[in-house]
Amino acid sequence: MPEPIDFYFDFSSPYSYVAANLIDALADRHIRSVTWRPILLGPVFEVSGNRPLNAQPMKGDYMRHDVPRLCRRHGIPFAWPEPFPIATVAAARAVYALWDQDAEQAIRFAKAVFRAYFANGRNIGETDGVLAVAADEGIDAAALGQAIQDPAIKARTKAAVDHAIKLKVCGAPFFLVDEEPFWGVDRLPLMDEWMARGGW
Amino acid sequence: MPEPIDFYFDFSSPYSYVAANLIDALADRHIRSVTWRPILLGPVFEVSGNRPLNAQPMKGDYMRHDVPRLCRRHGIPFAWPEPFPIATVAAARAVYALWDQDAEQAIRFAKAVFRAYFANGRNIGETDGVLAVAADEGIDAAALGQAIQDPAIKARTKAAVDHAIKLKVCGAPFFLVDEEPFWGVDRLPLMDEWMARGGW
């Protein structure tokens, strides 16, 4: 059984949302599972010196054109959320809290959070919004709310982000396949080939 | 006859080099010509607030891994040049100087400049290096050297860069097809589809 694909993403990253919609089909083709690893681009950008695309004069304009075009291409529902971008630490902690109990549930929840924000205009920047999505998915929102506040989950989330930075995860979405890095949703076809051929 | 593909590139951009090796096959499939438009990423970055990938902590590392991997994948000869990056204004002026006389020759020359730098380790950052490539291509190096110094060619090059910025060319390689923008060599497959389907 091949190793899982590590999928690093920020819930506020529209290209991560696109990748979240495409990764399953890709992983299935290679009989791989996907480990969903939410990160926070804020701390990543502190190290990389980068800034959110939205805040960059020309690249922001390109992104605002490109993301809806990409979603139309793949049949992914999309509407620019407001506010954008948002803090995603509560949503990230919720995924890590759910993961150990039930990874499949954590993945379904992560997809629902992405959809709530990028398709349905729901603000998932605050804990309340995150828990509302959880409740819709049949998850115990009260328990999840407590878990989000748990110092152990907070520490785990921070450690996950720090570890991603150590692994040189320089943006989102970012993938590691057998330690080989792929950055950006545009690189999924290359990653597909890499897995098919076992590298080159 | 469909409109040409506008190909914006900087001679110091390794991803532009990769694109320069792939664009002909793509254009041929759609019976389009390619207008080669050298730009200077320095002035672009002044507007966009961006910096060369090489100077960015984590993204620089990724690029140093990714570019050779991409070149191996496509069978493109590649060796990291030294120095890197370099000023490319002389090479850009040379392309604009040649273009009006003989666009095909200008394209052959541009490809030769890219190859000289990214495959053969020749420094094309100075006028001498640019003219040496021209001489190898059977171009009158003395005449080209004069053209590079011609105030009209200098002005034309500056105007081309300014116009690209006005068109929101936010990086390199960058393509415009029937006014539709595509940024990055990873987007060539999407551009391919866009031309095949006439957009979506």
Side-chain angles (χ1 to χ4, degrees), chain A residues 87-154:
Chain A
T88 54
V89 65
R93 285 173 182 160
V95 172
Y96 286 111
L98 293 170
W99 189 268
D100 287 340
Q101 303 158 35
D102 185 341
E104 286 304 313
Q105 186 189 57
I107 292 173
R108 277 198 309 279
F109 168 74
K111 289 178 183 173
V113 170
F114 265 130
R115 207 164 45 237
Y117 186 51
F118 284 113
N120 300 325
R122 289 165 62 180
N123 187 345
I124 51 92
E126 306 289 338
T127 300
D128 286 355
V130 172
L131 297 182
V133 174
D136 290 350
E137 292 297 307
I139 293 164
D140 182 339
L144 187 61
Q146 286 191 324
I148 288 175
Q149 297 303 325
D150 181 344
I153 293 296
K154 289 183 178 181

Side-chain angles (χ1 to χ4, degrees), chain B residues 11-30:
Chain B
F11 279 114
S12 192
S13 150
Y15 291 112
S16 294
Y17 168 64
V18 177
N21 278 276
L22 302 178
I23 189 63
D24 280 352
L26 180 53
D28 286 351
R29 271 202 294 285
H30 300 280

Side-chain angles (χ1 to χ4, degrees), chain A residues 19 22-23 26 70 173-175 177 180-195 200, chain B residues 14-15 18 53 62-63 65-71 73-74 173 184-187 189:
Chain A
L22 302 178
I23 189 64
L26 179 54
L70 207 53
F174 195 102
F175 305 88
V177 181
E180 187 69 18
F182 295 90
W183 173 34
V185 69
D186 334 55
R187 283 306 169 83
L188 289 180
L190 198 76
M191 188 167 91
D192 193 3
E193 270 193 70
W194 185 272
M195 288 187 285
W200 53 77
Chain B
Y15 291 112
V18 177
L53 281 174
Y62 180 79
M63 181 196 70
H65 179 77
D66 185 47
V67 170
R69 175 177 67 180
L70 208 53
C71 287
R73 161 63 185 82
H74 292 291
V185 68
D186 334 55
R187 283 305 171 83

Side-chain angles (χ1 to χ4, degrees), chain A residues 15 44 47-51 53 56-59 61-62 65-66 68-70 72-74 164-166 168-170 174 180-187 190 193-194 197 200, chain B residues 15 44 47-51 53 56-59 61-62 65-66 68-70 72-74 164-166 168-170 174 180-187 190 193-194 197 200:
Chain A
Y15 291 112
V44 172
V47 178
S48 71
N50 213 338
R51 284 183 304 154
L53 280 174
Q56 298 184 34
M58 296 162 79
K59 288 164 79 170
D61 289 332
Y62 180 79
H65 179 79
D66 184 49
R69 174 177 67 179
L70 207 53
R72 289 197 309 276
R73 160 65 184 81
H74 292 292
I165 291 170
K166 203 171 154 191
K168 299 189 176 170
V169 172
C170 60
F174 195 102
E180 187 69 18
F182 295 90
W183 173 34
V185 69
D186 334 55
R187 283 306 169 83
L190 198 76
E193 270 193 70
W194 185 272
R197 297 168 56 180
W200 53 77
Chain B
Y15 291 112
V44 172
V47 177
S48 71
N50 213 338
R51 285 183 303 153
L53 281 174
Q56 298 184 36
M58 295 161 81
K59 288 164 80 171
D61 289 332
Y62 180 79
H65 179 77
D66 185 47
R69 175 177 67 180
L70 208 53
R72 289 197 308 275
R73 161 63 185 82
H74 292 291
I165 291 171
K166 204 172 154 191
K168 299 188 175 170
V169 172
C170 59
F174 196 101
E180 187 69 17
F182 295 90
W183 173 34
V185 68
D186 334 55
R187 283 305 171 83
L190 198 76
E193 270 193 70
W194 184 272
R197 296 168 56 181
W200 53 77

